[in-house]
């Protein structure tokens, strides 16, 4: 298993002292509390107050500003002090560097909302999900076999956090991705798993000649049509409703380009190979298949790998029970088994994405 340099440095040898390792073990054991306290320090505005104050605030000042009880304020502040998100000196609390990142790193904020609104109740059933190969945590919301089937029926706040998470990761990569995909000047593009049509809209805006077809579940296409209705270029976006888990469902053809963005991580390796095999059968010699994923092993910074491997468990507990954020070697094996060849891998696209450019084997 190959790793990018920053990951190899961190993951191949022990880097902590015994006391640091013990501290980490305790942080893990109290992880749910650490998460909820930190979330509430943001929600109640305490971290922002401390950041805005020049010399910090006393417990009484914070209590008055938040309208919380002194007891509630004290519990949150003392916990946050030992977590490391606030500091205490001369009778006043201030915001630490970690607290600053909680407030100001947009990805952290997206992940907090995603984990609280979408995942938190489902995490309780992670053990069952791992043992059964099913998203057992999804029953916190409804009786669907995958979260995608029930996405349009989830509570509004849950939908907002789910789409906020999904769009943040993908939208940061679209500008670079458009240049890569349209280097070959495709006039027809199949967007597989196109969700609400954000990529399709960017394509028809970027190139006035391209026709885009979104291939997705019928209920997802309804969300897409509502989201794109009346927008510029929407008349060049069509839909092809299918269940891609049905191994007998062929891909429509022909297309100059096939696009899969943050899509294959929603399926098991067996399902990925099935989808790619059917894609390959629809391709001609000039068709390019573009797979954009956040492979955890190809990250420039170790923190990104940490986040991605934790996100994998969302797929286990809630999404479908059998997929993950893939190591690139696993994805390449599926690609080659499907009758495709990797022509190029472009790393560092947007927020840690890679784009794998594939063609059919000669």
């Amino acid at each position: 298993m190959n790793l990018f340099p920053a990951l190899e440095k961190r993951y191949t040898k022990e880097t902590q002292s015994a006391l640091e390792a013990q501290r980490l073990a305790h942080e893990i054991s109290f992880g749910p509390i650490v998460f909820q306290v930190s979330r509430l320090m943001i929600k109640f505005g305490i971290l922002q107050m401390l950041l805005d104050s020049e010399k910090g605030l006393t417990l009484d000042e914070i209590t008055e500003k938040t309208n919380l009880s002194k007891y509630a304020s004290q519990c949150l502040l003392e916990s946050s002090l030992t977590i490391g998100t606030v500091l205490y000196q001369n009778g006043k609390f201030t915001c630490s560097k970690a607290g600053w990142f909680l407030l100001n790193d947009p990805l952290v904020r997206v992940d907090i909302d995603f984990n609280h609104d979408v995942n938190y109740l489902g995490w309780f059933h992670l053990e069952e999900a791992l043992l059964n190969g099913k998203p057992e945590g999804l029953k916190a919301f409804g009786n669907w076999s995958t979260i995608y089937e029930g996405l349009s029926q989830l509570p509004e706040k849950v939908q907002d956090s789910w789409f906020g998470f999904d769009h943040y990761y993908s939208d940061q990569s679209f500008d670079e991705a458009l240049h890569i995909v349209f280097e070959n000047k495709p006039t027809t593009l199949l967007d597989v798993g196109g969700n609400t049509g954000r990529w399709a809209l960017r394509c028809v805006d970027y190139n006035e000649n391209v026709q885009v077809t979104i291939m997705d579940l019928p209920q997802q296409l309804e969300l897409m049509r509502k989201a794109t209705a009346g927008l510029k270029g929407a008349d060049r976006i069509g839909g092809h409703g299918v269940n891609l888990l049905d191994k007998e469902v062929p891909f429509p053809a022909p297309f100059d380009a096939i696009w899969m963005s943050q899509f294959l991580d929603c399926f098991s390796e067996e399902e990925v190979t099935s989808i790619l095999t059917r894609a390959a059968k629809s391709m001609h010699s000039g068709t390019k298949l573009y797979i954009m994923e956040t492979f955890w092993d190809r990250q420039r910074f170790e923190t990104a790998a940490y986040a991605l491997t934790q996100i994998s468990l969302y797929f286990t507990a809630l999404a479908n029970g059998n997929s993950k954020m893939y190591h690139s070697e696993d994805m390449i094996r599926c690609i080659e088994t499907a009758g495709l060849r990797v022509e190029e891998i472009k790393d560092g696209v947007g927020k840690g994405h890679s784009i794998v450019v594939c063609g059919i084997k000669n």
Side-chain angles (χ1 to χ4, degrees), residues 45-329:
I46 299 174
L47 283 178
Q48 190 64 57
M49 290 176 195
L50 296 178
L51 193 61
D52 292 341
S53 65
E54 292 185 10
K55 298 181 180 180
L57 297 170
T58 66
L59 172 60
D60 289 339
E61 289 171 332
I62 293 167
T63 299
E64 182 180 354
K65 287 176 178 290
T66 59
N67 290 321
L68 295 172
S69 69
K70 186 174 181 178
Y71 167 80
S73 297
Q74 190 173 21
C75 284
L76 291 172
L77 286 162
E78 289 176 351
S79 174
S80 297
L81 180 64
T82 59
I83 290 168
T85 55
V86 304
L87 302 171
Y88 183 75
Q89 191 174 22
N90 299 325
K92 293 186 176 183
F93 292 92
T94 58
C95 185
S96 72
K97 289 180 181 178
W100 186 94
F101 278 105
L102 276 176
L103 283 172
N104 292 288
D105 186 330
L107 184 51
V108 170
R109 298 293 292 273
V110 165
D111 287 344
I112 285 175
D113 289 344
F114 180 63
N115 278 316
H116 179 68
D117 296 326
V118 181
N119 299 325
Y120 202 81
L121 296 177
W123 288 142
F124 189 81
H125 302 282
L126 178 60
E127 180 180 352
E128 299 165 62
L130 287 166
L131 293 174
N132 299 335
K134 297 179 181 179
E136 302 290 1
L138 187 56
K139 56 192 174 188
F141 297 115
N143 296 314
W144 306 291
S145 59
T146 72
I147 199 169
Y148 312 106
E149 296 171 22
L151 192 56
S152 62
Q153 302 172 59
L154 293 175
E156 185 176 357
K157 178 60 176 171
V158 178
Q159 286 192 45
D160 289 344
S161 294
W162 191 95
F163 282 114
F165 172 85
D166 182 71
H167 292 163
Y168 182 85
Y169 275 89
S170 60
D171 288 2
Q172 303 296 320
S173 306
F174 281 173
D175 286 343
E176 295 174 66
L178 286 165
H179 291 297
I180 294 169
V181 171
F182 282 92
E183 280 178 350
N184 293 314
K185 298 180 172 57
T187 58
T188 56
L189 183 146
L190 182 65
D191 181 3
V192 186
N195 215 321
T196 56
R198 292 169 78 90
W199 166 255
L201 284 169
R202 293 295 302 276
C203 287
V204 295
D205 181 64
Y206 187 86
N207 185 299
E208 63 182 12
N209 297 314
V210 71
Q211 298 281 336
V212 179
T213 300
I214 295 178
M215 185 179 185
D216 212 327
L217 291 166
Q219 53 266 46
Q220 285 300 109
L221 293 182
E222 286 303 311
L223 290 175
M224 178 274 293
R225 292 186 179 101
K226 291 178 182 177
T228 61
L231 298 179
K232 180 183 176 183
D235 58 320
R236 288 185 283 126
I237 300 174
H240 184 77
V242 296
N243 177 8
L244 281 157
L245 288 175
D246 186 342
K247 296 180 180 180
E248 303 302 316
V249 171
F251 271 52
F255 287 91
D256 298 328
I258 300 175
W259 172 254
M260 299 180 182
S261 171
Q262 295 180 185
F263 171 70
L264 293 178
D265 54 33
C266 301
F267 302 95
S268 68
E269 286 193 32
E270 180 183 356
E271 291 163 347
V272 168
T273 303
S274 170
I275 290 167
L276 292 177
T277 299
R278 285 174 277 150
K281 290 178 180 178
S282 76
M283 295 166 62
H284 54 75
S285 59
T287 303
K288 301 292 183 185
L289 169 62
Y290 301 88
I291 299 170
M292 186 166 81
E293 290 287 347
T294 44
F295 299 115
W296 72 262
D297 62 300
R298 303 183 75 91
Q299 299 303 310
R300 181 182 175 190
F301 299 107
E302 186 275 333
T303 300
Y306 169 83
L308 291 171
T309 53
Q310 310 317 312
I311 290 169
S312 278
L313 280 305
Y314 145 75
F315 293 101
T316 307
L318 285 109
N320 51 45
N322 58 14
S323 73
K324 64 193 293 290
M325 291 294 192
Y326 281 102
H327 188 290
S328 61
E329 291 177 3

